[in-house]
Amino acid sequence: MSSPMEIVRELTGPGGEFELRDEDVLGARLPVFANRARDLGAVLARSSSYGDRDYVVTASRRLTFADHAAAVASTAKALREDLGVRPGDRVAINAANSPEWIIAFWATIAAGGVAVGYNAWWAPREVEYALGHTEPKLVIADAKRAALTSGTGVPVENVLTVETDVPSLTSRYPGAALDVPDVAADDPAVILYTSGTSGRPKGAVHSHRNLTSVIEYHRFNDALARASGDPAGPSSRRYLLALPLFHIACLHNLAVPRLATGTAVIMHEGGFDVDEVLRLIEKEGVTNWGAVPTMAHRMVEHGDLSRYDVSSLTAFSLATAPSSPAFKERLRAVFPPAKDALVDSYGLTESCTGVSVATPADLAESPGTLGRPTLGVQLEIRDPDDRPVPAGVEGEVCTRSAYNMVGYWRDPDATARAVGTDRWLHTGDIGMLDERGRLRLTTRRSDLIIRGGENVYPAEVENVLAEHPGVRECIVLGVAHPDLGQEVAAVVGVAAAPPSPGSSSPPPSPEELTDYARERLAYFKVPTRWHITTDPLPRNATGKVLRRQIESSLP
């Protein structure tokens, strides 16, 4: 048998199925997959050939590839002819996971629209901002979020419900043919939001090239496994989808590529529940699961997991948030699929897929590593002058590939800061490469808090708290949490209590501030630890709050 490096060269070299060659991408020469699909519409059209295979399976429903193609064709025709969706129009999806979410996504693509995934945990104020920011032609939402949308006061031409309207659209035009408008490779296909350091979410724009490149990367991994002796092909694998579809982990790297490979997506609906998820794995013979550390923590703490047969699970990965080597060892001890199959990775919304991946061998040799760059990814560590530094030297993680986003929606300044004309993405994360080219992070995006896999930027929370009339100054920090990884803590400076009753309002209490934040922020951004003080926050000579000093002195 050929060595792994020889197999990669054969697959990606000239004439190979996954040939990589340099092409112009938005003004820069980048390695791209020569045989990728022209656009997502072409991927969708091919998917009907998988016929009666399972595409999306839940605890109570099954949607075959043929069913899905028919539902999408009918819905896309209704979007175009009845609802006036034109190429380039944005269609927002604001809903919990369901098969209808996926149908709505692909129908938007088939109609020539741009699918915008709203964070289903957003508070009304965040939804209001996104509606004004992306100006969707229509919103597709579950009943709970449809009411939220209508209550924002932002005019939306149509708000369709997942429960009633989408099923109606899927059957409105039986026998409809797919008629996908022509698009250019770098035209927008998807917008997903990432929290903004300036206090506003930013819409990362992902093109058809971005998504079809991600698809080829996953197809390459399937081919590499097959060429390396793995007898299981894509048609026999079954992938668990237990993270929100408005994240790249489950949309770009699961639902989308599995439509291209004819592979089943086993969808868990509702909040994460250890017993329900393991029951679903056992029932459906799930083979692959990408989890976040919070899910893994809950399994570790759940107790005896042996009553569930999870022997079908041969691939298990952790993503979206860092986890310590010590925790990985505890996980391996109680969850057999993690023992020999655990992998770790590093990526961000802007990169569309993993920037680097650590194999079980990498983790065994170098605990804490995030592995080597993904196929087609160029990775450098750069100093403050934007110059590459050698192995072992800390600096900003910068990456370039055909996967990287086009830019931020309607935010040229933020785009210019993040992605230069040379298409290098500056992540803001700090790390280093070891002598074998493996990445290790030392700081995640400045002061980013990662709570249960969700990104929380302190500036956004601080801006909300600062609007409270009783808050003089504040700072928001991430503190360790045994289940979530981190929880959100706020140190709030207030005026001294009034000398006599009635002279002025008393300082706000933690309960008052919690309620205030909860009305304006998604629940995961609301601080759960409060320290209210009348002392000024410590600052340096330039007036900047000394975050680390406060962090070390938190009670």
Side-chain angles (χ1 to χ4, degrees):
M1 180 181 293
S2 301
S3 71
M5 290 301 296
E6 291 171 334
I7 294 172
V8 171
R9 282 195 293 268
E10 182 178 336
L11 289 172
T12 63
E17 183 179 0
F18 301 96
E19 178 183 348
L20 282 171
R21 67 182 180 208
D22 285 352
E23 289 185 8
D24 181 82
V25 180
L26 299 173
R29 298 293 289 179
L30 297 178
V32 301
F33 290 106
N35 302 316
R36 69 187 184 279
R38 180 176 54 84
D39 53 46
L40 288 177
V43 174
L44 177 62
R46 294 173 191 168
S47 69
S48 60
S49 66
Y50 297 123
D52 291 335
R53 287 192 204 170
D54 288 337
Y55 175 37
V56 181
V57 177
T58 71
S60 59
R61 299 167 60 190
R62 291 182 186 277
L63 186 71
T64 68
F65 283 90
D67 293 336
H68 176 261
V72 167
S74 173
T75 304
K77 184 172 182 178
L79 293 180
R80 287 192 309 268
E81 298 188 4
D82 302 342
L83 295 162
V85 173
R86 299 290 177 261
D89 283 347
R90 276 78 60 206
V91 174
I93 307 173
N94 190 11
N97 286 0
S98 70
E100 285 75 21
W101 204 113
I102 293 178
I103 291 170
F105 169 82
W106 282 110
T108 299
I109 298 298
V114 179
V116 187
Y118 284 2
N119 189 316
W121 295 332
W122 274 344
R125 188 159 111 165
E126 293 162 306
V127 174
E128 181 178 2
Y129 169 75
L131 290 171
H133 184 227
T134 47
E135 297 181 311
K137 176 72 174 179
L138 57 90
V139 175
I140 299 174
D142 54 32
K144 176 182 177 181
R145 283 122 188 140
L148 195 67
T149 301
S150 300
T152 62
V154 178
V156 178
E157 194 170 325
N158 285 288
V159 179
L160 308 181
T161 61
V162 162
E163 293 85 354
T164 302
D165 294 321
V166 174
S168 173
L169 299 182
T170 62
S171 58
R172 182 171 297 182
Y173 293 105
L178 283 171
D179 183 18
V180 184
D182 287 336
V183 296
D186 296 310
D187 282 349
V190 185
I191 300 173
L192 293 184
Y193 276 89
T194 181
S195 295
T197 54
S198 63
R200 290 289 195 183
K202 291 180 291 191
V205 179
H206 301 145
S207 67
H208 286 264
R209 185 198 302 271
N210 293 152
L211 272 295
T212 56
S213 297
V214 172
I215 287 171
E216 286 304 280
Y217 168 61
H218 285 279
R219 290 186 62 246
F220 163 79
N221 284 336
D222 291 341
L224 181 61
R226 186 168 57 247
S228 301
D230 182 355
S235 62
S236 64
R237 294 198 183 97
R238 300 172 78 77
Y239 285 74
L240 182 69
L241 192 161
L243 294 168
L245 279 159
F246 53 80
H247 279 309
I248 63 165
C250 278
L251 184 59
H252 296 26
N253 292 276
L254 209 168
V256 167
R258 295 310 147 198
L259 186 87
T261 58
T263 310
V265 173
I266 312 302
M267 178 186 290
H268 170 66
E269 297 178 286
F272 182 76
D273 179 278
V274 173
D275 292 304
E276 287 183 11
V277 167
L278 296 184
R279 196 176 297 123
L280 187 61
I281 290 172
E282 179 179 20
K283 176 187 173 186
E284 294 296 337
V286 169
T287 60
N288 296 67
W289 180 15
V292 297
T294 296
M295 295 175 174
H297 274 284
R298 291 179 184 174
M299 287 197 297
V300 167
E301 296 172 357
H302 187 69
D304 183 18
L305 304 177
S306 63
R307 63 182 181 275
Y308 298 103
D309 180 4
V310 293
S311 58
S312 61
L313 198 58
T314 56
F316 181 79
S317 63
L318 292 175
T320 78
S323 55
S324 69
F327 171 72
K328 289 186 178 77
E329 281 305 307
R330 292 198 299 274
L331 177 63
R332 292 185 183 104
V334 300
F335 192 56
K339 185 175 181 181
D340 300 314
L342 179 63
V343 302
D344 207 345
S345 63
Y346 164 68
L348 51 162
T349 303
E350 292 86 343
S351 68
C352 279
T353 192
V355 171
S356 65
V357 178
T359 66
D362 288 327
L363 294 173
E365 182 179 330
S366 179
T369 183
L370 291 166
R372 296 174 179 84
T374 298
L375 181 70
V377 168
Q378 299 169 341
L379 181 63
E380 291 183 352
I381 306 300
R382 295 189 175 183
D383 65 17
D385 293 321
D386 206 26
R387 296 174 302 195
V389 299
V393 178
E394 189 177 82
E396 182 182 13
V397 179
C398 297
T399 177
R400 185 167 74 161
S401 74
Y403 311 122
N404 284 354
M405 68 170 185
V406 174
Y408 294 117
W409 180 256
R410 291 180 176 172
D411 198 338
D413 291 340
T415 298
R417 288 192 297 270
V419 186
T421 56
D422 57 1
R423 300 302 301 165
W424 279 95
L425 173 66
H426 290 69
T427 68
D429 293 339
I430 306 301
M432 65 178 67
L433 294 174
D434 67 17
E435 66 284 351
R436 301 191 63 179
R438 292 180 297 212
L439 176 66
R440 185 179 295 270
L441 287 190
T442 53
T443 304
R444 289 223 34 153
R445 295 198 215 187
S446 184
D447 304 305
L448 175 67
I449 301 165
I450 304 178
R451 180 199 180 278
E454 288 293 327
N455 291 351
V456 181
Y457 277 94
E460 183 181 11
V461 184
E462 289 163 1
N463 287 349
V464 167
L465 295 179
E467 294 175 3
H468 189 286
V471 173
R472 187 177 61 198
E473 56 182 347
C474 64
I475 188 167
V476 171
L477 309 159
V479 295
H481 188 279
D483 182 25
L484 299 169
Q486 287 182 299
E487 64 178 328
V488 183
V491 178
V492 178
V494 300
S500 59
S503 60
S504 65
S505 300
S509 66
E511 293 77 15
E512 180 182 345
L513 291 173
T514 298
D515 291 340
Y516 183 85
R518 192 177 287 136
E519 292 175 1
R520 294 160 174 80
L521 294 167
Y523 81 92
F524 63 86
K525 300 176 185 176
V526 176
T528 50
R529 285 183 58 179
W530 298 89
H531 177 62
I532 298 176
T533 178
T534 56
D535 296 329
L537 299 183
R539 298 176 183 270
N540 64 14
T542 63
K544 185 177 180 180
V545 175
L546 299 174
R547 183 178 294 270
R548 300 300 172 222
Q549 181 176 322
I550 294 174
E551 202 169 57
S552 63
S553 62
L554 272 177

